[in-house]
Amino acid sequence: MMSNDNSQLVYSTDSGRIDQSQATEQVPQGDGVVRIKMERKGRKGKGAMVITGLGLDAKALKTLAGELKKKMGCGGAVKGFDIEIQGDDRDKLKVLLEKHQYKVKLAGG
């Protein structure tokens, strides 16, 4: 067997495949203020409210998004560390988030 300092073990019959360690995504910590902004770009004129700055992990974001979608009576999705809710009723969404003890600001158009 040849020895080379630049070589890297890819497969070995002794221990099987060597897995690379999975890098976990860091949850972005904001300034403590949750912002709700209205976005219409790239949606063919239909708007969606985007909630940013929650500082929750992926599982907690999905749970919160599901609860907000049920109470708002509309669809939505979790993209990255943001929650997108369809429609334009930011005042109702602000009240719902304030019940969860978040400090909320309405941002953007």
Side-chain angles (χ1 to χ4, degrees), residues 3 12 16 20 28 32 44 53 56 59 65 69 76 84-86 89 98 103-106:
S3 176
S12 173
Q20 296 290 333
K44 298 181 182 175
L56 299 173
K59 188 175 182 180
K69 290 190 299 184
E84 294 182 0
I85 304 289
Q86 295 174 353
D89 197 359
E98 286 173 343
K103 184 177 177 184
V104 182
K105 278 188 179 179
L106 298 180

Side-chain angles (χ1 to χ4, degrees), residues 4-65:
N4 186 353
D5 292 334
N6 294 329
S7 68
Q8 183 177 355
L9 181 64
V10 176
Y11 182 81
S12 173
T13 56
D14 293 336
S15 62
R17 291 200 179 266
I18 298 176
D19 294 327
Q20 296 290 333
S21 62
Q22 296 286 336
T24 59
E25 292 186 29
Q26 294 292 332
V27 178
Q29 295 298 325
D31 56 355
V33 178
V34 175
R35 289 180 172 78
I36 304 171
K37 62 181 177 178
M38 190 68 195
E39 280 190 1
R40 286 188 174 86
K41 271 193 172 178
R43 301 176 197 278
K44 298 181 182 175
K46 298 186 189 254
M49 299 171 284
V50 180
I51 305 166
T52 58
L54 288 167
L56 299 173
D57 62 336
K59 188 175 182 180
L61 275 175
K62 283 188 176 186
T63 305
L64 180 62

Side-chain angles (χ1 to χ4, degrees), residues 55-103:
L56 299 173
D57 62 336
K59 188 175 182 180
L61 275 175
K62 283 188 176 186
T63 305
L64 180 62
E67 183 180 333
L68 292 174
K69 290 190 299 184
K70 284 180 187 174
K71 292 195 177 180
M72 295 286 292
C74 59
V78 175
K79 292 192 179 175
F81 289 101
D82 299 336
I83 298 176
E84 294 182 0
I85 304 289
Q86 295 174 353
D88 186 10
D89 197 359
R90 290 184 286 173
D91 296 326
K92 184 176 177 182
L93 189 59
K94 180 179 178 182
V95 171
L96 290 173
L97 286 171
E98 286 173 343
K99 287 182 182 177
H100 285 281
Q101 308 303 319
Y102 288 111
K103 184 177 177 184

